[in-house]
Amino acid sequence: MPKDAPAAMTAPAPDAPPAFAPTGLVLIAPLLALVLGHVLSNALRTTPGIAADVLITDLGVSAEGLAGLTGSFNLAFALCQIPVGVALDRFGVRRVSITLFCTTVVGSIVAALATGPLSFLLGQLLLGAGCSGMLLCPITYAARRLTAAQFGLWSGLIQAIGNSGMLLSATPLAYLIEAAGWRAGYGAGTLLGLTALLFVILLVRDAPPAGPYPSLLRDGREVIRLGLSRPLRAGIVIAFSSFAAGIGVRGLWGGPWLMEMKGLPRTETGNILILCALAFVVGPILSGMLDRRFGHRRLILAAGHLAAAACLVLLVLGGPSGPLGALPTSWDLTMFVAFALTISVQPLVFAVVRSAVAPEQAGKALSAANLSYFTGAAVIQSASGPVVAAAGIGAGLLFLAAMLATGTLLFLWMTRRRA
């Protein structure tokens, strides 16, 4: 256990897994099938980042309007966290994941056929609801089968593999949009969703947790109670701004910054964003290794998030109107990759949350963390729209950096006694 973990987290959960949990093909095959959902989720939520300009034109909305439309994905995602967490503990991973994949496929079809803001909004809401448990499903599946020590590393691996979905929404999506339009991106998401659904049906087998079950209202209150409990509170706070900054950069304003502010074509923008996506894949693995090797989880989380905020500030300083002058594209590439690497410490929040509760509460506790991630994303990403409309994309990126730094400093303040 890391030296700076809260005291409440140091005692083993009363129903902890055995000292050694197998990680062979019996675990890995269904886990990879479930992780395909997280790959799909990342691809779909970051699609507007490379298609923002054509979406604005075709849907007849402003940049502020597009921020609101894409923010609805995160809002639906956040609102579904409690129902998904309750369902995982009540019905099991298999049934929940099949339902989520079906919803996501329908959402992809609606988004691909959207003719205006309202139909695109419906697609985003369906996609947000369907993708709301695509990380929770593999995380919960692993949490119920691994020890706390093993789970710390595997949570990073799950996040890393899932983040590879951002590779699909970078250069490959840029070429697809140039060749067939932005609707083809959601069409490709439909095909990927159907493929992943088939693998889940064939490979995932788990029995729903044994009853009797408490009322749904009581289960919902338990998710909120866990999220507000003292051991989880600081992690919930940093999660609120953490994912919002990551998805705000990679899923919305990163592409427009490169295309509008730096004048890059879509394919070259995709090439930079694909390297950024690779950093999002490698980063969680590195953070899991650092955590397992050195501990000091509090310091790793804080240092990574503050460094990510600094990268956004430096990116804007090197922009066309920045005090450093218009620096070359290599500067933007460096800052995007460094941002992705440093903010990728965020999966450690799940490890903190997992170690604080018993296995039968894992679904609810992890959904509380995810609720904070995506509530923050919905609020902060939507708020970035008016900032960009008033002062430009650079101001929007600085706004994300300020939110990230504020959340991190609050996290440090709330954990100062335990440190």
Side-chain angles (χ1 to χ4, degrees):
M1 181 63 59
K3 297 178 181 178
D4 55 340
M9 300 179 188
T10 58
D15 298 315
F20 173 77
T23 58
L25 189 61
V26 173
L27 171 73
I28 293 175
L31 195 55
L32 288 177
L34 293 168
V35 173
L36 279 177
H38 190 32
V39 173
L40 175 64
S41 177
N42 274 307
L44 290 171
R45 76 165 60 100
T46 55
T47 292
I50 197 69
D53 57 333
V54 288
L55 281 170
I56 287 172
T57 301
D58 285 3
L59 298 177
V61 296
S62 63
E64 181 180 356
L66 182 63
L69 289 173
T70 56
S72 67
F73 179 110
N74 298 314
L75 178 61
F77 199 113
L79 291 175
C80 289
Q81 289 309 298
I82 292 178
V84 168
V86 170
L88 284 169
D89 287 341
R90 186 177 290 254
F91 304 115
V93 172
R94 186 175 191 273
R95 294 180 183 178
V96 172
S97 62
I98 289 175
T99 302
L100 293 173
F101 273 113
C102 291
T103 305
T104 302
V105 167
V106 173
S108 294
I109 294 172
V110 172
L113 299 177
T115 57
L118 289 179
S119 52
F120 189 76
L121 173 63
L122 176 61
Q124 290 297 295
L125 290 172
L126 287 169
L127 286 172
C131 293
S132 62
M134 293 305 194
L135 176 58
L136 280 178
C137 284
I139 286 283
T140 303
Y141 191 86
R144 290 174 178 163
R145 288 160 177 80
L146 299 172
T147 65
Q150 290 171 316
F151 181 75
L153 179 61
W154 274 85
S155 64
L157 289 172
I158 290 169
Q159 186 92 345
I161 297 170
N163 283 352
S164 66
M166 293 186 227
L167 298 175
L168 301 177
S169 62
T171 304
L173 180 61
Y175 280 114
L176 184 61
I177 291 173
E178 291 292 339
W182 62 268
R183 299 177 191 277
Y186 289 105
T190 301
L191 295 177
L192 178 57
L194 290 172
T195 302
L197 173 62
L198 178 61
F199 279 120
V200 168
I201 292 173
L202 293 176
L203 296 175
V204 177
R205 295 288 182 270
D206 76 322
Y213 304 117
S215 68
L216 290 174
L217 182 60
R218 181 180 173 184
D219 268 340
R221 287 200 303 263
E222 180 68 7
V223 173
I224 301 297
R225 186 195 67 80
L226 284 171
L228 297 176
S229 64
R230 188 175 183 84
L232 273 62
R233 198 177 301 154
I236 296 299
V237 166
I238 195 172
F240 188 84
S241 60
S242 175
F243 186 76
I247 197 63
V249 171
R250 181 56 188 87
L252 186 57
W253 301 122
W257 169 265
L258 293 170
M259 287 188 282
E260 296 178 25
M261 303 301 294
K262 302 306 287 275
L264 299 182
R266 192 184 314 277
T267 51
E268 190 172 344
T269 296
N271 292 337
I272 291 178
L273 293 181
I274 202 169
L275 292 174
C276 177
L278 283 171
F280 271 114
V281 172
V282 174
I285 299 175
L286 294 177
S287 66
M289 293 171 63
L290 287 172
D291 177 62
R292 189 162 183 169
R293 175 67 179 84
F294 300 107
H296 300 290
R297 186 170 291 166
R298 173 180 180 267
L299 295 179
I300 293 175
L301 277 169
H305 284 80
L306 289 176
C311 289
L312 293 184
V313 174
L314 291 171
L315 176 71
V316 175
L317 291 179
S321 58
L324 299 180
L327 296 179
T329 305
S330 58
W331 175 258
D332 302 85
L333 172 61
T334 302
M335 290 301 103
F336 274 120
V337 170
F339 169 81
L341 283 174
T342 51
I343 205 170
S344 290
V345 298
Q346 58 193 202
L348 294 181
V349 174
F350 286 115
V352 168
V353 168
R354 165 62 184 88
S355 64
V357 299
E360 67 271 12
Q361 291 182 305
K364 297 187 191 73
L366 293 170
S367 71
N370 234 17
L371 176 62
S372 181
Y373 272 130
F374 281 87
T375 302
V379 172
I380 294 175
Q381 182 169 316
S382 296
S384 71
V387 175
V388 170
I393 297 172
L397 294 174
L398 291 177
F399 171 75
L400 296 177
M403 294 297 99
L404 190 57
T406 301
T408 306
L409 293 175
L410 284 173
F411 168 78
L412 286 172
W413 181 76
M414 295 173 71
T415 56
R416 67 194 185 286
R417 292 181 180 178
R418 293 194 291 266

